[in-house]
Amino acid sequence: MIEVRGYAAHDHKSPLVPFSFQRREPGPHDVQIEILYVGICHTDVHQVRNDWGNALYPMVPGHEIVGRVVKVGAEVKKLKAGDIAGVGCMVDSCRQCSACKADLEQYCEKAATQTYNDKERGSDQLTFGGYSEQIVVEEHFVVKVPASLDLKAVAPLLCAGITTWSPLRHWKVGPGQKVGVVGLGGLGHMGVKFAKALGAHVVMITTSPEKGKDAKRLGADEVLVSRDANAMAAHALSYDLLLNTIPVGHDVNPYLALLKRDCTMVLVGALTAMEPPVFGVNLMLGRKNLTGSGIGGMAETQEMLDFCAEHGIVSDVEMVPIQSVNQAFERLLKNDVKYRFVIDIASLRGGSR
Ligand code: NAP
Ligand code: ZN
Ligand code: ZN
């Protein structure tokens, strides 16, 4: 077994603290990665605080992982020692169901194994995430990171990036379309960058007027403040796609009013119930679609990283040492991050990189 140091939550209300644990030695198909950087996704806060009622403790969060391969099993073909690798939200799936066969492992009918807050397949061993020094993952769930990119700013692509890329591609966003990205946080800022790079006319839809300047810098053509009823009315019936990253249940009805006939709002933020409820009439009048999307498959994650390398796209990050992770969680909840915290794992090893 490999001894690993990390940070863990032990219940839903105490701060994360240093935690030592063991990982398996790499098997024939495994890749052992020395973690360099890990992003702090809003999901990490939801999970640690048990917002979704499924928390397993001790919990080592972290599913936006970039690191250096230190060892590979004898059967591994895709990567070798020294390569830069990424790991996102999943570390396993059944590989046999129709979703897995369609490269949509995130929708595995037997449930993909989550990078943390889950159990290894067929075992009671908890999975532990990237707020740690090392991780061992089966080759299929590891992607190659183009070394030309700024690695600390690549980490958030492994969740925030793929979660916004996948629906933009699925709904075929491109030139001539007006796309609204709702919520300028970790996911939202990547949604703006990708929608722009794909050629759409992009509107940042935000509750925070002070973020307008940043939104334009990130690539938005326009900014719409969702709390301004007059501005919302002026944008009615004009959007081809809305990508909604709001992290909590909320009133989706005003956003549905923005969609053109037959067009779609994709929820990627809120996993819980919408309040107030969705009114059927707001879908019926104009035959509108309200749907959701979860991360992306492994092939699509590699495609997204390759697109980022080609177009020079990375996240806007604020680096934090792991010792400040609890303060970073508090700031994230106060909407005070531009636009993703990334932990430098060198701080866990006691040095800086
Ligand atoms: P984040 O950085 O906190 O950004 C969320 C943004 O939503 C905020 O910056 C804010 O933008 C807006 N917002 C926050 N609270 C709001 C409220 N009460 N009403 C309206 N707008 C609000 O979070 P994130 O890391 O992007 O994650 C967003 C959500 O996606 C989380 O719930 C996370 O669990 C979920 N997620 C889902 C997937 C998936 O596979 N579907 C993957 C990753 C994450 P403005 O200031 O611009 O309004
Ligand atoms: Zn995430
Ligand atoms: Zn499956």
Side-chain angles (χ1 to χ4, degrees):
M1 298 297 265
I2 303 167
E3 296 293 329
V4 182
R5 288 174 300 173
Y7 263 58
H10 291 274
D11 60 55
H12 74 279
K13 53 186 189 309
S14 308
L16 276 75
V17 291
F19 174 67
S20 293
F21 60 100
Q22 294 184 321
R23 297 199 189 268
R24 66 176 185 269
E25 289 285 346
H29 297 278
D30 284 338
V31 179
Q32 183 181 344
I33 299 165
E34 178 193 54
I35 298 174
L36 300 173
Y37 304 111
V38 63
I40 299 181
C41 180
H42 202 122
T43 296
D44 300 345
V45 182
H46 286 308
Q47 296 282 28
V48 161
R49 304 201 171 186
N50 199 18
D51 289 347
W52 299 331
N54 64 341
L56 300 170
Y57 302 105
M59 185 192 300
V60 178
H63 61 204
E64 294 185 334
I65 299 167
V66 167
R68 186 175 292 109
V69 176
V70 288
K71 199 169 169 187
V72 297
E75 304 294 328
V76 170
K77 307 232 165 27
K78 196 161 76 179
L79 294 132
K80 58 179 187 320
D83 285 348
I84 301 296
V87 177
C89 301
M90 311 176 272
V91 288
D92 208 352
S93 71
C94 89
R95 325 281 177 95
Q96 281 157 5
C97 72
S98 67
C100 286
K101 284 186 175 156
D103 288 331
L104 296 167
E105 301 89 341
Q106 76 274 30
Y107 304 132
C108 175
E109 291 161 16
K110 303 230 164 86
T113 305
Q114 303 298 303
T115 302
Y116 70 88
N117 197 41
D118 205 347
K119 290 179 180 172
E120 305 274 3
R121 289 191 106 66
S123 138
D124 272 340
Q125 172 64 49
L126 293 181
T127 59
F128 293 123
Y131 294 12
S132 62
E133 296 171 295
Q134 305 222 24
I135 193 164
V136 177
V137 179
E138 217 270 0
E139 169 182 34
H140 183 75
F141 292 88
V142 182
V143 285
K144 281 186 88 153
V145 173
S148 59
L149 292 169
D150 176 3
L151 298 184
K152 60 184 185 307
V154 165
L157 301 178
L158 276 303
C159 176
I162 185 60
T163 302
T164 49
W165 173 259
S166 181
L168 293 174
R169 295 286 285 165
H170 183 76
W171 277 279
K172 300 185 170 48
V173 161
Q177 293 185 347
K178 181 172 171 184
V179 173
V181 178
V182 186
L184 183 47
L187 267 54
H189 93 291
M190 290 314 306
V192 169
K193 290 188 187 203
F194 285 146
K196 185 69 184 173
L198 290 168
H201 178 88
V202 185
V203 183
M204 182 71 241
I205 305 176
T206 180
T207 61
S208 311
E210 68 279 6
K211 291 184 185 172
K213 214 169 150 193
D214 269 356
K216 294 257 174 85
R217 178 180 55 77
L218 294 165
D221 298 288
E222 292 180 66
V223 176
L224 170 59
V225 176
S226 53
R227 291 184 171 141
D228 180 341
N230 290 333
M232 288 288 276
H235 279 248
L237 300 173
S238 68
Y239 286 79
D240 295 279
L241 188 83
L242 290 171
L243 184 61
N244 182 333
T245 77
I246 297 175
V248 289
H250 58 278
D251 188 358
V252 295
N253 297 289
Y255 299 106
L256 292 173
L258 299 175
L259 290 173
K260 286 181 186 168
R261 171 170 45 82
D262 283 327
C263 289
T264 299
M265 175 155 76
V266 189
L267 301 179
V268 291
L271 278 72
T272 46
M274 294 299 140
E275 286 179 54
V278 183
F279 282 78
V281 67
N282 293 335
L283 297 170
M284 291 170 201
L285 290 182
R287 206 162 49 190
K288 296 176 182 178
N289 306 295
L290 177 60
T291 184
S293 180
I295 50 172
M298 296 314 301
E300 196 173 36
T301 305
Q302 188 66 60
E303 173 199 86
M304 179 265 316
L305 283 173
D306 295 344
F307 180 90
C308 287
E310 200 179 312
H311 293 261
I313 296 176
V314 286
S315 288
D316 286 29
V317 300
E318 178 177 338
M319 301 304 294
V320 287
I322 201 158
Q323 294 76 7
S324 302
V325 66
N326 297 298
Q327 293 92 315
F329 273 27
E330 293 302 328
R331 282 184 54 197
L332 182 58
L333 285 169
K334 288 191 199 122
N335 207 351
D336 174 24
V337 52
K338 289 182 173 179
Y339 278 92
R340 193 55 127 196
F341 288 117
V342 171
I343 300 170
D344 185 347
I345 293 296
S347 60
L348 184 57
R349 301 193 178 92
S352 61
R353 196 168 291 276

